[in-house]
């Protein structure tokens, strides 16, 4: 199954979720490929890839027809492979402007490897530009991380409207697997209010697991580690493991 992590708003814990969800799925014995579609390479850096070693990346497959199998790297996490992202992805809209079928290019590229993994996880940049649209058409399902803030809540409404437009205009769009509440801080009074709004409006589409703000989650990327490697006993590690169980259960229902 191909799962896209998408939100057009930044700062909602999307990359943290992509990295640690991938690691949690891999820890359960699944083979997982994480594809970093962000020009900043944040997911790749979080897994210990030095900035100077981000290339070759998924950009080579999208722009230069490099065989995607040659771009897959090992990570320090058992069963987890990685395709990095790099700065060239920032120019994707321009580089692919004249390419026929550009909205489905990633889907075509992934065909060669998707059956080799139990899960392919796509970490998207915080926008609804061409790469996230490619991720929506390439994926079977998508997950939306959302932090309990009013602006993030407004962004969620806009995101689903944009997904509907992709489905109408392009077709073959991924289905929602779930919304995951991230960076929840219940010391802030508005958190409870917004969480209740999200759960009240979207119901069972919201994962039961919530990812609360956690120091270990914030620290782990600076060491190039997942939260499980950095502090496997932390609340953040426990939350992402529970989320992985939910994702696996919902994925089986979707297949």
């Amino acid at each position: 199954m191909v799962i896209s992590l998408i939100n057009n708003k930044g700062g909602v814990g999307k990359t943290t979720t992509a990295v640690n969800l991938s690691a949690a799925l891999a820890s359960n014995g699944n083979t997982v490929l994480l594809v970093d579609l962000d020009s900043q390479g944040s997911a790749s850096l979080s897994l210990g890839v030095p900035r100077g070693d981000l290339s070759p990346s998924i950009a080579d497959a999208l722009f230069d027809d490099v065989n995607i199998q040659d771009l897959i790297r090992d990570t320090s996490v058992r069963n987890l492979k990685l395709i990095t992202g790099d700065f060239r992805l920032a120019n994707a809209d321009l580089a692919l402007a004249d390419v026929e079928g550009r909205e489905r290019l990633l889907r075509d590229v992934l065909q060669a490897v998707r059956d080799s993994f139990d899960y392919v996880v796509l970490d998207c940049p915080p926008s609804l530009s061409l790469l996230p649209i490619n991720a929506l058409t390439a994926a079977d399902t998508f997950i939306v991380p959302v932090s309990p803030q009013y602006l993030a809540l407004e962004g969620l409404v806009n995101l689903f409207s944009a997904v509907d437009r992709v489905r109408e205009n392009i077709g073959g769009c991924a289905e929602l697997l779930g919304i995951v509440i991230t960076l929840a801080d219940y010391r802030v009074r508005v958190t409870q209010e917004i969480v209740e709004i999200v759960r009240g409006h979207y119901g069972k589409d919201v994962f039961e697991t919530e990812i609360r703000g956690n120091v270990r989650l914030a620290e782990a990327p600076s060491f190039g580690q997942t939260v499980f490697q950095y502090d496997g006993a932390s609340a953040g590690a426990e939350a992402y493991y529970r989320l992985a169980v939910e994702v696996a259960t919902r994925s089986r229902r979707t297949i």
Side-chain angles (χ1 to χ4, degrees), residues 2-252:
V2 180
I3 302 174
S4 175
L5 273 288
I6 189 166
N7 195 317
N8 55 332
K9 187 181 186 305
V12 296
K14 178 178 54 56
T15 294
T16 298
T17 298
V19 169
N20 291 298
L21 174 60
S22 296
L25 290 169
S27 73
N28 286 334
N30 298 293
T31 54
V32 182
L33 173 64
L34 175 60
V35 182
D36 189 349
L37 293 171
D38 193 340
S39 62
Q40 298 183 57
S42 298
S44 307
L45 297 172
S46 297
L47 285 171
V49 179
R51 185 169 296 279
D53 293 339
L54 291 176
S55 184
S57 77
I58 189 63
D60 292 87
L62 295 173
F63 304 156
D64 300 322
D65 295 324
V66 172
N67 189 328
I68 191 172
Q69 294 173 327
D70 295 334
L71 304 175
I72 297 175
R73 309 185 187 203
D74 293 328
T75 72
S76 58
V77 179
R78 185 181 180 185
N79 295 327
L80 176 60
K81 304 290 187 180
L82 171 69
I83 298 179
T84 58
D86 68 22
F87 69 96
R88 290 172 295 166
L89 294 171
N91 298 319
D93 284 33
L94 181 61
L96 300 176
D98 297 325
V99 176
E100 184 177 353
R102 59 187 177 275
E103 298 90 353
R104 298 183 178 88
L105 184 58
L106 180 62
R107 183 195 65 181
D108 296 340
V109 164
L110 288 175
Q111 286 298 327
V113 297
R114 63 173 293 159
D115 291 339
S116 300
F117 296 91
D118 296 310
Y119 294 95
V120 178
V121 178
L122 310 176
D123 183 36
C124 298
S127 70
L128 280 174
S129 56
L130 187 56
L131 285 177
I133 290 173
N134 262 265
L136 284 170
T137 59
D140 301 300
T141 61
F142 67 98
I143 294 173
V144 182
V146 59
S147 59
Q149 304 168 359
Y150 278 115
L151 291 179
L153 186 58
E154 288 296 321
L156 191 59
V157 175
N158 294 334
L159 172 65
F160 284 120
S161 295
V163 170
D164 287 340
R165 289 195 298 272
V166 170
R167 186 171 287 114
E168 291 171 5
N169 297 329
I170 301 175
C173 185
E175 297 295 331
L176 175 66
L177 189 64
I179 298 166
V180 57
I181 294 169
T182 58
L183 302 175
D185 184 355
Y186 283 94
R187 296 171 299 178
V188 180
R189 182 164 42 180
V190 74
T191 296
Q192 184 67 44
E193 179 181 346
I194 294 179
V195 169
E196 289 176 358
I197 291 173
V198 172
R199 290 193 177 279
H201 186 76
Y202 293 101
K204 293 183 179 180
D205 284 334
V206 184
F207 288 105
E208 291 183 14
T209 302
E210 295 179 8
I211 311 299
R212 302 201 178 193
N214 181 272
V215 173
R216 294 295 187 251
L217 285 173
E219 292 175 342
S222 64
F223 291 88
Q225 296 180 333
T226 69
V227 70
F228 303 100
Q229 295 170 304
Y230 185 65
D231 188 349
S234 66
E238 181 184 351
Y240 274 113
Y241 185 82
R242 291 199 310 270
L243 179 63
V245 172
E246 281 196 78
V247 166
T249 300
R250 292 193 183 199
S251 297
R252 287 193 290 270

